[in-house]
């Protein structure tokens, strides 16, 4: 449903305005009543009406300026609260603008009411328009709500490497409606915040350290104790590998063509890939020096004479 159709549907439910004929008849009656008055009576009523109108205008102006001062105080108080809570600048600016607009609309409606103008029709139109826009922009509002939740609870921040919605990359920017990722191959991915706030998300940068896992295969007949000692020496030589928790080396599986060795070590999150690739290179270079071999898949075939 379009915004226009939604607005028409909701406006049809608002209170009906007087017909033009009724308005004309009302004014005709008032003019007839005025024509029957003497000049002195007309003057007195005109002065009373002017004074009454001036009083209303004065009260309305006073309420407007006092209300505007109160709105500024509320705006300043909320802004300081956002700064103390370290609310993101983009969210802070949007919420402060939204609060000011809502309070100003309320103040304007109050001032109009003081002037004696019927505000029920205005309120009905504002409510109908707001509901119609909300229905038409439900998906956008969901993304907005998701952006607010992300900026408030901060499951990730700019610079974190995350994986979500089938994409992975470094967070480049967090906007109100979308999050922008930069992938390792330098592609820009724009993901709506609605799915990010309600779906599963893997933040690789949330913790300060990460565990690195390797699977190394050695040939049957090679000395496992030697392999274990060489692996630990290589890890100890790399200053990026943390001593606590200590590196772990174990024989994990006797596969068809190899003896599989599981290696686990801890490093700072930013050193993860550097340690991972450098260790692979060192294992490939050093194992041969200790008579440790990387097996190839093989099959034993036995020939039977018949």
């Amino acid at each position: 449903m379009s915004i226009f159709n939604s607005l028409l549907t909701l406006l049809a439910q608002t209170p009906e305005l007087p017909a033009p004929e009724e308005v004309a008849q009302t004014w005709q009656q008032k003019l007839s009543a005025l024509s029957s008055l003497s000049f002195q009576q007309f003057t007195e009523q005109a002065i009373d009406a002017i004074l009454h109108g001036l009083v209303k205008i004065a009260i309305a102006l006073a309420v407007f300026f006092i209300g505007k001062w109160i709105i500024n105080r509320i705006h300043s108080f909320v802004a300081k609260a956002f700064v103390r809570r370290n609310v993101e600048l983009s969210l802070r600016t949007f919420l402060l603008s939204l609060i000011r607009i809502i309070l100003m609309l309320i103040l304007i409606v109050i001032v109009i009411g003081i002037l004696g103008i019927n505000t029920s029709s205005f309120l009905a139109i504002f409510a109908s328009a707001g509901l119609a826009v909300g229905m038409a922009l439900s998906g956008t509002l969901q993304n907005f709500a998701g952006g607010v939740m992300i900026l408030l609870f901060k499951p990730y921040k700019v610079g974190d490497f995350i994986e979500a919605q089938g994409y992975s990359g470094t967070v480049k920017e967090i906007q109100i409606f979308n999050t922008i990722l930069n992938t390792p191959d330098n592609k820009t991915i724009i993901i709506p915040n609605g799915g990010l706030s309600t779906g599963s998300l893997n933040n690789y940068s949330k913790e300060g350290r990460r565990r690195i896992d390797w699977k190394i295969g050695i040939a049957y007949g090679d000395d496992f104790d030697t392999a274990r000692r060489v692996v630990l020496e290589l890890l100890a030589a790399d200053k990026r590998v943390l001593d606590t928790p200590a590196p772990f080396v174990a024989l994990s599986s006797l596969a068809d063509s190899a003896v599989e060795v599981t290696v686990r070590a801890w490093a700072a999150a930013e050193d993860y890939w550097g340690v991972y690739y450098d260790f692979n290179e060192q294992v490939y270079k050093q194992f041969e020096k200790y008579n440790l071999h990387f097996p190839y898949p093989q099959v034993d075939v036995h020939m039977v004479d018949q």
Side-chain angles (χ1 to χ4, degrees), residues 148-209:
V148 172
M149 298 294 290
I150 290 170
L151 292 171
L152 286 177
F153 295 102
K154 299 179 180 179
Y156 56 86
K157 62 183 184 298
V158 174
D160 286 354
F161 190 89
I162 66 171
E163 181 180 0
Q165 303 294 305
Y167 299 98
S168 59
T170 303
V171 179
K172 185 178 180 181
E173 186 178 355
I174 304 175
Q175 300 176 345
I176 290 294
F177 298 101
N178 305 295
T179 293
I180 301 176
L181 300 184
N182 187 255
T183 63
D185 56 345
N186 202 31
K187 291 188 294 188
T188 298
I189 306 296
I190 301 175
I191 305 178
N193 287 332
L196 287 174
S197 64
T198 57
S200 300
L201 183 144
N202 191 352
N203 187 345
Y204 292 98
S205 305
K206 188 70 172 179
E207 302 297 334
R209 60 185 183 180

Side-chain angles (χ1 to χ4, degrees), residues 18-35:
E21 295 80 4
E22 296 178 1
V23 175
Q25 184 177 1
T26 302
W27 277 102
Q28 186 177 3
Q29 292 175 356
K30 290 182 178 181
L31 291 175
S32 299
L34 288 175
S35 61

Side-chain angles (χ1 to χ4, degrees), residues 115-135:
L115 292 175
I117 302 173
N118 186 7
T119 60
S120 59
S121 298
F122 291 100
L123 293 176
I125 292 173
F126 289 152
S128 301
L131 184 57
V133 171
M135 292 171 59

Side-chain angles (χ1 to χ4, degrees), residues 82-246:
F82 284 164
V83 172
R84 288 195 301 268
R85 296 295 298 272
N86 294 322
V87 178
E88 292 287 340
L89 180 61
S90 56
L91 178 62
R92 188 193 318 167
T93 303
F94 180 84
L95 291 179
L96 288 175
S97 300
L98 183 63
I99 291 172
R100 180 182 290 276
I101 291 172
I102 292 175
L103 292 178
M104 285 299 297
L105 286 176
I106 294 174
L107 177 60
I108 291 172
V109 170
I110 293 174
V111 171
I112 291 175
I114 292 174
L115 292 175
I117 302 173
N118 186 7
T119 60
S120 59
S121 298
F122 291 100
L123 293 176
I125 292 173
F126 289 152
S128 301
L131 184 57
V133 171
M135 292 171 59
L137 302 178
S138 59
T140 303
L141 292 177
Q142 181 182 3
N143 292 330
F144 165 74
V148 172
M149 298 294 290
I150 290 170
L151 292 171
L152 286 177
F153 295 102
K154 299 179 180 179
Y156 56 86
K157 62 183 184 298
V158 174
D160 286 354
F161 190 89
I162 66 171
E163 181 180 0
Q165 303 294 305
Y167 299 98
S168 59
T170 303
V171 179
K172 185 178 180 181
E173 186 178 355
I174 304 175
Q175 300 176 345
I176 290 294
F177 298 101
N178 305 295
T179 293
I180 301 176
L181 300 184
N182 187 255
T183 63
D185 56 345
N186 202 31
K187 291 188 294 188
T188 298
I189 306 296
I190 301 175
I191 305 178
N193 287 332
L196 287 174
S197 64
T198 57
S200 300
L201 183 144
N202 191 352
N203 187 345
Y204 292 98
S205 305
K206 188 70 172 179
E207 302 297 334
R209 60 185 183 180
R210 290 181 61 189
R211 193 184 76 184
I212 312 171
D213 295 352
W214 294 272
K215 286 282 188 180
I216 302 173
I218 59 176
Y220 278 96
D222 288 352
D223 185 19
F224 168 71
D225 292 331
T226 301
R228 186 176 188 275
R229 176 175 56 83
V230 172
V231 167
L232 291 175
E233 289 175 355
L234 292 175
L235 292 174
D238 193 334
K239 301 302 182 183
R240 296 169 296 180
V241 176
L242 302 178
D243 295 330
T244 305

Side-chain angles (χ1 to χ4, degrees), residues 249-287:
V249 181
L251 196 157
S252 58
S253 176
L254 301 176
D256 293 337
S257 302
V259 176
E260 290 188 352
V261 179
T262 295
V263 181
R264 296 171 181 169
W266 290 81
E270 60 270 19
D271 294 331
Y272 180 91
W273 290 112
V275 173
Y276 180 83
Y277 291 125
D278 289 346
F279 180 79
N280 285 339
E281 181 179 347
Q282 290 300 315
V283 167
Y284 181 75
K285 291 179 178 179
Q286 298 296 327
F287 265 32

